[in-house]
Amino acid sequence: MVDSKRSLDLARSHLLSRERALTSSRDTARSHLSSRGTDMGKKVKKDEKPPPDDVFDPLLVESRQAGTVVLMLSSPEEDVQAKACEAIYKYVDKCDENKKQLLDLNAIEALLPLLQSEDRIVRRNACMAVSVMTAHPEVRKKLRKNEEAIPAMITLLAPEEDTVVHEFCALGLSQMAIEFSSKAVIFENNGIEPLVKCLSSTDPDVQKNAIETLAQLLLDYQTRAAIKDCDGLSPMLELLKSEFSIIQKLALLALDRASQDADNRGALRELEAMSKLVDFVAHPEWNDLHVMAVMVLANLLEDHESLELVKETGTLKRLVALITDQPPPEEEAKGGGGKGGKAEKGGSRAAKKSAKDGGKTSRGKKSSEEKEESVPGEAIIPTLPDVKMCAAKAIARSARSAENRKILHEQEAEKMLIHLLAHESTEVQTAAAQALGIMSENLLTKDSIREWEGVQPLVKLLNSDNGDVKEAASLALANLTANNSTNCHDISNFGGIDALIHTLADAREEAVANAACCLTNMATEEALRSDAQNKHIVVKLIEPLKSKNTNVQSKCSLAVAAFVCDVDSRSDFRNNGGIEYLITLLHSGNDEVRRNSSWAIAVCAVDEQTASEVCKLGGMSVLQEIQVSGTRRNPFADVALQNLLNSNLSAKYSLTGALSSTNIILDGFYDAGQLRPGSQFLSLEDYCKQELHDKRPVLLVNAKPESAPKESQSQADAEMAKDSSKTSVSGKSSRTGRETKAPSPPKSKAQKEKEEKQREEEIQAQLQREAENQSTTDNKPFEMPCDSNLCQYLEEITEKIQPLQTTREQVIALAQYVSDHMGGPIEKGELANFSYELPISQIRYEMKSNVVPIGKIKTGIHIHRALLFKVLADRIAVGCTLNRGEYNLAWNEVMLPDSDDTPGAPKFPPRTFVVDLVHCPGKLLRADSPEAAQYQQL
């Protein structure tokens, strides 16, 4: 403030000195003129009357200080105000620093009242100065704080004001409309309507500033809704015919923003905006604005009504012809369909312009007559790549609606998109492929793209170096193969499987997801699935499973489920570590990832070895957690857990305590007891490696006979041990334990050192052999303990029990057989006195293992007998269940028909019986009887 006051004082002193100098110079000039008038005589007329005494003589002031001019704005004389405003306008128009300087001198406060001056010149000059100053952000900030600034500028847009006032007011409003708060103020003060009226001005500067302001205001939804009521759309369309490209550009920008409103799109349809925009694109001299015109068309084509309209008028086909650089359809029709007609009228986009301009040359090259005689292909000027790209994007936006896709298919929009796939610009290829991908959701479009040879270009684009192109092409192929086997085979014929498998290793994650989706669709065809499996697709899918992208995880998990449908594929997937990554995906927070990974595990779990691997890696516990969760549970996880348990009966029995009649126990089954909550289910190999403990043993079922190669290997090992035992490392005889002595002459020192060295070498060699033998033993594959007794049991029941006539007889005989080999009947109440633990402990001690084959147990109770009964019954095709109870109780249930064979007796459905194996072996207890309930409890 001190600096500003000092500058004002200096300005005042300067002004006074200038006044004194001007007064003295004026007096001198008067005396000089009076003398000249005396000399010239006749030419001098009478002196004018001097001004009245009460009027101040005119004063001419020259000021070079901005502060002085600002002071002059406060003058009561309108002429002084006008000249001061004009000087300020010229000064601030030079640079931004001048605008900031005048802002600091409080010029804005002095100028704003002058906007409402009664003098037209003062208003005009003040408006010019303020509008130019609004280009500075600090000035706009100052004006926003003044509530009367924007309303005063809007008032100056009245029709009675000068054109210059309209021009600069619109300019100032366009600068103010940059900030959102100013947009709201302009709208609230009804600034839309006067701006719309300015669009019809004959002055191009007024049009330019007005349309620029409206383009800024149309960013606000309130203005978009109000522009139609103010009849602002029609003047915007008229501005497309302007001679100035900047006005056309701003008009297209305003239309683009206005057409985002549905009501405005309806109004533009009534004004035939789409035809006018297509006509605009048909002018090659405006090619730098074609992109914006197509963007407006893209907004309009979102509505179904717009597509219906362009279908009836043929506007869409004209646009397609322009984008593909083909002759417009109406010109082909005029040519009579023959080649001569096409040659005469084709390529008349440039010719039309020449005719319209009255014979002027287009682009300064050819006259209209020359173009009419030219070849159509030479006369057509290709549209720019950006225009083609925007047109493809417009088709893609419109095709998001099913109704629009149908109309676009009827208008053969696919041909244009397929044509654009061959363009050299990657951006055009990307947009065309994306549009084809969206269009492919229409069933008829899928066939049309194949018939118009669009599949092969898409497959070729998969090998592009551009990531966007590859992503768009893979998306299109994924949609083309959905529920369309013909397209699947077509893609395969063009080498699409190799390209898609190669895309799985691409760095672009969305391209990987699309490729996996496409391959999943193709897997529905057995021949294509086998082809992909032969190319190791299962192994290639493992790496994408490690991705952090949920879409990639989901699509690749689904692809795994589609291709691991045979034993070899599951084996490859398991051996390459794919199971581990599927189990990791079960922890995902994404619902789709969890569902698809659960489904993949469900397919893998039908294989027993894969199911065991899933259990070993903790997959079963994760599925259990999902099953009990209120938010993460899904049907696919339930199916996966069920398939997992059905393929791993040992885990199922430990987890659920029940095996159905369809669960056939095979070799390798083991009963590890009821699995406690939170504990992990271990493999048989893990149980065998455990040290002896006093807990319940693990019961093993293994009826495989011991292999002969193993016996021969053991004999060879024994012979080697026998040979090596003859001479020990210490050099003593293993039979006598004494050193062998033989008469020999005294040895020299050199001989003794030589023998000592040889002895050390022998010791090292023997130690190395022992280490190799130990490592060979450790690397041997795990082999289950053999159960020769169970093999004998199977032979006996196959010979004696299986030939029995009825299932009831087989069940009774098998129950008695099991009881006889498990210690015989036990009277009720004597179970506590039945000694079975000590014999089993002796077996464990002899085998030095916690795993006991079921056939080696000779004294067993409920849990042992029920397991043996289930194993033997499954081998002779007698259906029975195995159920675990508490306190080492277990029982079997069988379904048997009615035993009454009397002719004419009523027949009842089969009933469930509990087989007594302990107290009265062979007795069948009805499942709903008190006896059965008592048998199932202590």
Side-chain angles (χ1 to χ4, degrees), residues 175-224:
Q175 298 288 350
M176 294 297 296
I178 295 175
E179 284 81 12
F180 177 78
S181 59
S182 299
K183 292 184 179 70
V185 175
I186 295 173
F187 177 80
E188 292 170 359
N189 286 275
N190 302 320
I192 306 299
E193 187 172 356
L195 286 169
V196 170
K197 291 180 180 179
C198 289
L199 296 179
S200 302
S201 174
T202 56
D203 188 281
D205 291 324
V206 177
Q207 293 177 341
K208 182 261 181 186
N209 293 337
I211 191 63
E212 185 175 6
T213 306
L214 287 172
Q216 290 285 356
L217 294 174
L218 285 169
L219 289 172
D220 183 24
Y221 75 96
Q222 290 180 322
T223 306
R224 289 199 295 268

Coordinates of all heavy atoms in Angstrom, one line a residue, residues 175-224:
Q175 N -13.5 -16.3 -20.5 CA -12.4 -16.4 -19.5 C -12.9 -16.7 -18.1 O -12.3 -17.6 -17.4 CB -11.5 -15.1 -19.5 CG -10.9 -14.8 -20.8 CD -9.7 -15.7 -21.2 OE1 -9.3 -16.5 -20.4 NE2 -9.3 -15.6 -22.4
M176 N -14.0 -16.1 -17.7 CA -14.5 -16.3 -16.4 C -15.1 -17.7 -16.3 O -15.1 -18.3 -15.2 CB -15.6 -15.3 -16.1 CG -15.1 -13.9 -16.0 SD -13.9 -13.7 -14.6 CE -15.0 -14.1 -13.2
A177 N -15.6 -18.3 -17.4 CA -16.3 -19.6 -17.3 C -15.3 -20.7 -17.2 O -15.7 -21.9 -17.1 CB -17.1 -19.8 -18.6
I178 N -14.0 -20.4 -17.1 CA -13.0 -21.5 -16.9 C -13.3 -22.1 -15.5 O -13.2 -23.4 -15.3 CB -11.6 -21.0 -17.0 CG1 -11.4 -20.5 -18.4 CG2 -10.6 -22.0 -16.6 CD1 -10.0 -19.8 -18.6
E179 N -13.6 -21.3 -14.5 CA -13.8 -21.8 -13.1 C -15.3 -22.2 -13.0 O -16.2 -21.6 -13.5 CB -13.5 -20.8 -12.1 CG -12.0 -20.6 -11.8 CD -11.3 -19.7 -12.9 OE1 -12.1 -19.0 -13.6 OE2 -10.1 -19.7 -12.9
F180 N -15.5 -23.3 -12.2 CA -16.9 -23.8 -12.1 C -17.8 -22.8 -11.4 O -19.0 -22.7 -11.7 CB -16.8 -25.1 -11.3 CG -18.2 -25.7 -11.1 CD1 -18.9 -26.4 -12.1 CD2 -18.8 -25.6 -9.9 CE1 -20.1 -26.9 -11.9 CE2 -20.1 -26.1 -9.7 CZ -20.8 -26.7 -10.7
S181 N -17.3 -22.1 -10.4 CA -18.1 -21.2 -9.6 C -18.7 -20.1 -10.6 O -19.8 -19.7 -10.4 CB -17.4 -20.6 -8.5 OG -16.2 -19.9 -8.9
S182 N -17.8 -19.6 -11.5 CA -18.3 -18.6 -12.4 C -19.3 -19.2 -13.4 O -20.3 -18.5 -13.8 CB -17.1 -18.1 -13.2 OG -16.2 -17.5 -12.4
K183 N -19.2 -20.5 -13.8 CA -20.3 -21.1 -14.6 C -21.6 -21.0 -13.9 O -22.6 -20.7 -14.5 CB -19.9 -22.6 -14.9 CG -18.7 -22.8 -15.7 CD -18.6 -24.3 -16.0 CE -17.4 -24.7 -16.9 NZ -16.1 -24.5 -16.3
A184 N -21.6 -21.3 -12.6 CA -22.9 -21.3 -11.9 C -23.4 -19.9 -11.8 O -24.7 -19.7 -12.0 CB -22.7 -21.8 -10.5
V185 N -22.6 -18.9 -11.6 CA -23.1 -17.5 -11.6 C -23.6 -17.1 -12.9 O -24.7 -16.4 -13.0 CB -21.9 -16.5 -11.1 CG1 -22.4 -15.1 -11.2 CG2 -21.5 -16.9 -9.7
I186 N -23.0 -17.4 -14.0 CA -23.5 -17.1 -15.3 C -24.8 -17.7 -15.6 O -25.8 -17.1 -16.1 CB -22.5 -17.5 -16.4 CG1 -21.2 -16.7 -16.3 CG2 -23.1 -17.3 -17.8 CD1 -20.1 -17.1 -17.2
F187 N -25.0 -19.0 -15.2 CA -26.2 -19.7 -15.4 C -27.3 -19.0 -14.5 O -28.5 -18.8 -15.0 CB -26.1 -21.1 -15.0 CG -27.3 -21.9 -15.1 CD1 -27.8 -22.4 -16.4 CD2 -28.1 -22.2 -14.0 CE1 -29.0 -23.1 -16.5 CE2 -29.3 -22.9 -14.1 CZ -29.7 -23.4 -15.4
E188 N -27.0 -18.7 -13.3 CA -28.0 -18.1 -12.4 C -28.5 -16.8 -12.8 O -29.6 -16.4 -12.6 CB -27.5 -18.1 -11.0 CG -27.3 -19.5 -10.3 CD -26.5 -19.4 -9.0 OE1 -26.1 -18.3 -8.6 OE2 -26.3 -20.4 -8.4
N189 N -27.6 -16.0 -13.5 CA -28.0 -14.7 -14.0 C -28.5 -14.7 -15.4 O -28.4 -13.7 -16.1 CB -26.8 -13.8 -13.9 CG -26.5 -13.4 -12.4 OD1 -27.1 -12.4 -11.9 ND2 -25.6 -14.1 -11.8
N190 N -29.0 -15.9 -15.9 CA -29.6 -16.0 -17.2 C -28.7 -15.6 -18.3 O -29.1 -14.8 -19.2 CB -30.9 -15.2 -17.3 CG -31.9 -15.7 -16.2 OD1 -32.0 -16.9 -15.9 ND2 -32.6 -14.7 -15.6
G191 N -27.4 -16.0 -18.3 CA -26.5 -15.6 -19.3 C -26.5 -16.5 -20.5 O -25.9 -16.2 -21.5
I192 N -27.2 -17.6 -20.5 CA -27.2 -18.6 -21.6 C -27.9 -18.0 -22.8 O -27.4 -18.0 -24.0 CB -27.9 -19.9 -21.2 CG1 -27.2 -20.5 -20.0 CG2 -27.8 -20.9 -22.4 CD1 -25.8 -20.8 -20.1
E193 N -29.1 -17.4 -22.6 CA -29.9 -16.9 -23.7 C -29.2 -15.8 -24.5 O -29.2 -15.8 -25.7 CB -31.3 -16.4 -23.2 CG -32.3 -16.0 -24.3 CD -33.7 -15.8 -23.8 OE1 -33.9 -16.0 -22.5 OE2 -34.5 -15.4 -24.6
P194 N -28.7 -14.7 -23.8 CA -28.0 -13.7 -24.6 C -26.8 -14.2 -25.4 O -26.5 -13.8 -26.5 CB -27.6 -12.6 -23.6 CG -27.7 -13.3 -22.3 CD -28.8 -14.3 -22.4
L195 N -26.1 -15.2 -24.8 CA -25.0 -15.8 -25.5 C -25.4 -16.6 -26.7 O -24.8 -16.5 -27.8 CB -24.2 -16.8 -24.6 CG -23.3 -16.1 -23.5 CD1 -22.8 -17.1 -22.5 CD2 -22.1 -15.4 -24.1
V196 N -26.6 -17.2 -26.6 CA -27.1 -17.9 -27.8 C -27.5 -17.0 -28.9 O -27.2 -17.2 -30.1 CB -28.3 -18.8 -27.4 CG1 -29.1 -19.3 -28.6 CG2 -27.9 -20.0 -26.5
K197 N -28.0 -15.8 -28.5 CA -28.4 -14.8 -29.5 C -27.1 -14.3 -30.2 O -27.2 -13.9 -31.4 CB -29.2 -13.7 -28.9 CG -30.5 -14.1 -28.4 CD -31.3 -12.9 -27.8 CE -32.7 -13.4 -27.3 NZ -33.4 -12.3 -26.6
C198 N -26.0 -14.2 -29.5 CA -24.8 -13.7 -30.1 C -24.3 -14.7 -31.2 O -23.4 -14.3 -32.0 CB -23.7 -13.5 -29.0 SG -24.0 -12.1 -27.9
L199 N -24.7 -16.0 -31.1 CA -24.2 -16.9 -32.1 C -24.7 -16.5 -33.5 O -24.1 -16.9 -34.5 CB -24.7 -18.3 -31.8 CG -24.2 -18.9 -30.5 CD1 -24.8 -20.3 -30.3 CD2 -22.7 -19.0 -30.5
S200 N -25.8 -15.8 -33.6 CA -26.4 -15.4 -34.9 C -25.9 -14.0 -35.3 O -26.3 -13.5 -36.3 CB -27.9 -15.3 -34.8 OG -28.4 -16.5 -34.3
S201 N -24.9 -13.5 -34.6 CA -24.3 -12.2 -35.0 C -23.5 -12.3 -36.4 O -23.0 -13.4 -36.7 CB -23.3 -11.7 -33.9 OG -22.6 -10.6 -34.3
T202 N -23.5 -11.2 -37.1 CA -22.7 -11.2 -38.3 C -21.2 -11.1 -38.1 O -20.5 -11.3 -39.1 CB -23.3 -10.1 -39.2 OG1 -23.1 -8.8 -38.5 CG2 -24.7 -10.3 -39.6
D203 N -20.8 -10.7 -36.9 CA -19.4 -10.5 -36.6 C -18.8 -11.8 -36.2 O -19.3 -12.4 -35.2 CB -19.3 -9.5 -35.5 CG -17.8 -9.1 -35.4 OD1 -17.1 -9.9 -34.7 OD2 -17.4 -8.0 -35.9
P204 N -17.8 -12.3 -36.9 CA -17.2 -13.6 -36.6 C -16.5 -13.6 -35.2 O -16.5 -14.7 -34.5 CB -16.2 -13.9 -37.7 CG -15.9 -12.5 -38.3 CD -17.2 -11.7 -38.1
D205 N -16.0 -12.5 -34.8 CA -15.4 -12.4 -33.4 C -16.4 -12.6 -32.3 O -16.2 -13.3 -31.3 CB -14.7 -11.1 -33.2 CG -13.5 -11.0 -34.1 OD1 -12.8 -12.0 -34.3 OD2 -13.2 -9.9 -34.6
V206 N -17.6 -12.0 -32.5 CA -18.7 -12.3 -31.6 C -19.1 -13.7 -31.5 O -19.3 -14.3 -30.5 CB -19.9 -11.4 -31.9 CG1 -21.1 -11.6 -31.0 CG2 -19.5 -9.9 -31.8
Q207 N -19.2 -14.3 -32.7 CA -19.6 -15.7 -32.8 C -18.5 -16.6 -32.1 O -18.9 -17.5 -31.3 CB -19.7 -16.1 -34.3 CG -20.9 -15.5 -35.0 CD -20.9 -15.9 -36.5 OE1 -19.9 -16.4 -37.0 NE2 -22.0 -15.7 -37.1
K208 N -17.3 -16.3 -32.4 CA -16.2 -17.1 -31.8 C -16.2 -17.0 -30.3 O -16.1 -18.1 -29.6 CB -14.9 -16.6 -32.4 CG -13.7 -17.4 -31.9 CD -12.9 -16.7 -30.8 CE -11.7 -17.5 -30.3 NZ -11.1 -16.9 -29.1
N209 N -16.3 -15.8 -29.7 CA -16.3 -15.7 -28.3 C -17.5 -16.3 -27.6 O -17.5 -16.9 -26.5 CB -16.1 -14.2 -27.9 CG -14.7 -13.7 -28.3 OD1 -13.8 -14.4 -28.5 ND2 -14.6 -12.4 -28.5
A210 N -18.7 -16.1 -28.3 CA -19.9 -16.6 -27.7 C -19.9 -18.1 -27.7 O -20.3 -18.8 -26.7 CB -21.1 -16.1 -28.5
I211 N -19.5 -18.8 -28.8 CA -19.5 -20.2 -28.8 C -18.5 -20.8 -27.9 O -18.6 -21.9 -27.3 CB -19.3 -20.7 -30.3 CG1 -19.6 -22.2 -30.4 CG2 -17.9 -20.4 -30.8 CD1 -21.0 -22.6 -30.0
E212 N -17.3 -20.1 -27.7 CA -16.3 -20.6 -26.8 C -16.9 -20.5 -25.3 O -16.6 -21.4 -24.6 CB -15.1 -19.7 -26.9 CG -13.9 -20.2 -26.0 CD -12.6 -19.4 -26.3 OE1 -12.7 -18.4 -27.0 OE2 -11.6 -19.8 -25.7
T213 N -17.6 -19.5 -25.0 CA -18.2 -19.4 -23.7 C -19.2 -20.5 -23.5 O -19.2 -21.1 -22.4 CB -18.9 -18.0 -23.5 OG1 -18.0 -17.0 -23.8 CG2 -19.4 -17.8 -22.1
L214 N -20.0 -20.7 -24.5 CA -21.0 -21.8 -24.3 C -20.4 -23.2 -24.2 O -20.8 -24.0 -23.5 CB -22.0 -21.8 -25.5 CG -23.0 -20.6 -25.5 CD1 -23.8 -20.6 -26.8 CD2 -24.0 -20.7 -24.4
A215 N -19.3 -23.4 -24.9 CA -18.6 -24.6 -24.8 C -18.0 -24.8 -23.4 O -18.1 -26.0 -22.9 CB -17.4 -24.7 -25.9
Q216 N -17.6 -23.8 -22.8 CA -17.1 -23.9 -21.4 C -18.3 -24.2 -20.5 O -18.2 -25.0 -19.6 CB -16.4 -22.6 -21.0 CG -15.1 -22.4 -21.6 CD -14.0 -23.3 -21.0 OE1 -14.2 -24.0 -20.1 NE2 -12.8 -23.2 -21.6
L217 N -19.4 -23.5 -20.7 CA -20.6 -23.6 -19.8 C -21.2 -25.0 -20.0 O -21.8 -25.5 -19.0 CB -21.6 -22.6 -20.1 CG -21.2 -21.1 -19.8 CD1 -22.3 -20.1 -20.3 CD2 -21.0 -20.9 -18.3
L218 N -21.1 -25.6 -21.1 CA -21.7 -26.9 -21.4 C -21.0 -28.1 -20.6 O -21.5 -29.2 -20.7 CB -21.8 -27.2 -22.9 CG -22.8 -26.5 -23.7 CD1 -22.6 -26.6 -25.1 CD2 -24.2 -26.9 -23.3
L219 N -19.9 -27.8 -20.0 CA -19.3 -28.8 -19.1 C -20.2 -29.0 -17.9 O -20.0 -30.0 -17.2 CB -17.9 -28.3 -18.7 CG -16.9 -28.4 -19.8 CD1 -15.6 -27.7 -19.3 CD2 -16.6 -29.8 -20.2
D220 N -21.1 -28.1 -17.6 CA -22.0 -28.2 -16.4 C -23.3 -28.8 -16.9 O -23.9 -28.4 -17.9 CB -22.2 -26.8 -15.8 CG -23.1 -26.8 -14.6 OD1 -23.2 -27.9 -14.0 OD2 -23.7 -25.8 -14.2
Y221 N -23.9 -29.7 -16.1 CA -25.1 -30.4 -16.5 C -26.3 -29.4 -16.6 O -27.2 -29.6 -17.4 CB -25.4 -31.5 -15.6 CG -25.9 -31.1 -14.2 CD1 -27.3 -31.1 -14.0 CD2 -25.1 -30.7 -13.2 CE1 -27.8 -30.7 -12.8 CE2 -25.6 -30.3 -12.0 CZ -26.9 -30.3 -11.8 OH -27.4 -29.9 -10.6
Q222 N -26.3 -28.4 -15.8 CA -27.4 -27.4 -15.8 C -27.5 -26.7 -17.2 O -28.6 -26.5 -17.7 CB -27.2 -26.4 -14.7 CG -27.4 -27.0 -13.3 CD -27.3 -26.0 -12.2 OE1 -26.4 -25.1 -12.3 NE2 -28.1 -26.1 -11.2
T223 N -26.3 -26.3 -17.7 CA -26.3 -25.7 -19.0 C -26.7 -26.6 -20.1 O -27.4 -26.3 -21.0 CB -24.9 -25.1 -19.3 OG1 -24.5 -24.3 -18.2 CG2 -24.9 -24.3 -20.5
R224 N -26.3 -27.9 -20.0 CA -26.7 -28.9 -21.0 C -28.2 -29.1 -21.0 O -28.8 -29.3 -22.1 CB -26.0 -30.2 -20.7 CG -24.5 -30.2 -21.0 CD -23.9 -31.6 -21.2 NE -24.0 -32.4 -19.9 CZ -23.1 -32.5 -19.0 NH1 -21.9 -31.8 -19.2 NH2 -23.2 -33.2 -17.9

